[in-house]
Amino acid sequence: MIRTLTIRPATAADLDAVTAIHADARATYYRGHLPESDYAGPEELARARTGWAGAIERGAVLCAEPDGEGTGIAGIAAFGEREGVMVLTQLHVAPAHWRRGVGGALHAACVEAWRAAGTTTAVLEVFDRNERAQAFYAAHGWTPDPDSPRSGDHLVLRLTLAPQPE
């Protein structure tokens, strides 16, 4: 467990680290299931970098940094509203920081932001062979979306948020 962790909005200076975490995390769950060009080829990496740059510019990306470790960013999360629905589009933790509380802290920060915005429901998609991520989301209250349980080779999960305590 990491003693203290700072969750903060990503800045343009974080783009290389954010893109690297995204690429490393995706490689861990897509390798052996999809062609490498689909998740790690030059075109895909360029597309991902452009997407992350836009998300950072919109203020839609959070970074988790272990305090005092000097290791840089340990995890990232991105979310935004699509057609009136809050979507957790990305939540990645650098593999070296798995099971140290980084994902849970990022998830909690997302939920806090959603509650502050008055959001009552969020959705996400998770690769159907990524059992580690599925277990993480289940432990945090996500369940199969009853309206749309699948999107291609991804499961669609829904989180219903309890009202923020007053």
Side-chain angles (χ1 to χ4, degrees), residues 85-86 121-125 142-150 155-159:
V85 177
M86 186 59 67
T121 304
V123 296
L124 63 80
E125 293 183 12
W142 294 82
T143 58
D145 186 326
D147 300 329
S148 177
R150 291 192 71 87
L155 304 176
V156 180
L157 304 180
R158 176 181 292 213
L159 179 66

Side-chain angles (χ1 to χ4, degrees), residues 83-129:
E83 300 176 12
V85 177
M86 186 59 67
V87 180
L88 178 60
T89 56
Q90 308 279 338
L91 196 158
H92 298 299
V93 175
H97 292 281
W98 284 354
R99 303 213 180 272
R100 297 184 65 203
V102 175
L106 281 165
H107 185 270
C110 291
V111 168
E112 182 180 319
W114 300 337
R115 283 191 174 128
T119 300
T120 58
T121 304
V123 296
L124 63 80
E125 293 183 12
V126 61
F127 186 50
D128 61 7
R129 295 186 180 164

Side-chain angles (χ1 to χ4, degrees), residues 5 8 34-35 41 44 47 49 52 59 62 68 70 79 88 91 93-94 104-105 140-143 152 163-164:
L5 194 63
R8 62 170 178 78
L34 297 177
E44 175 58 20
R47 186 198 65 75
R49 183 177 178 79
W52 280 109
L62 298 176
F79 59 87
L88 178 60
L91 196 158
V93 175
H140 286 86
W142 294 82
T143 58
Q164 189 166 347

Side-chain angles (χ1 to χ4, degrees), residues 1-153:
M1 209 49 134
I2 295 174
R3 289 188 196 269
T4 58
L5 194 63
T6 297
I7 306 292
R8 62 170 178 78
T11 68
D14 297 317
L15 182 58
D16 289 341
V18 167
T19 304
I21 288 171
H22 171 87
D24 287 348
R26 286 176 48 130
T28 65
Y29 56 84
Y30 283 144
R31 186 175 291 119
H33 302 293
L34 297 177
E36 188 171 324
S37 61
D38 287 0
Y39 63 86
E43 291 174 10
E44 175 58 20
L45 294 175
R47 186 198 65 75
R49 183 177 178 79
T50 299
W52 280 109
I56 290 169
E57 188 175 305
R58 288 188 306 277
V61 181
L62 298 176
C63 294
E65 283 186 299
D67 297 332
E69 288 192 12
T71 57
I73 297 170
I76 53 177
F79 59 87
E81 197 171 311
R82 282 191 206 149
E83 300 176 12
V85 177
M86 186 59 67
V87 180
L88 178 60
T89 56
Q90 308 279 338
L91 196 158
H92 298 299
V93 175
H97 292 281
W98 284 354
R99 303 213 180 272
R100 297 184 65 203
V102 175
L106 281 165
H107 185 270
C110 291
V111 168
E112 182 180 319
W114 300 337
R115 283 191 174 128
T119 300
T120 58
T121 304
V123 296
L124 63 80
E125 293 183 12
V126 61
F127 186 50
D128 61 7
R129 295 186 180 164
N130 189 347
E131 294 175 3
R132 183 187 49 78
Q134 291 174 42
F136 171 86
Y137 291 124
H140 286 86
W142 294 82
T143 58
D145 186 326
D147 300 329
S148 177
R150 291 192 71 87
S151 177
D153 57 3

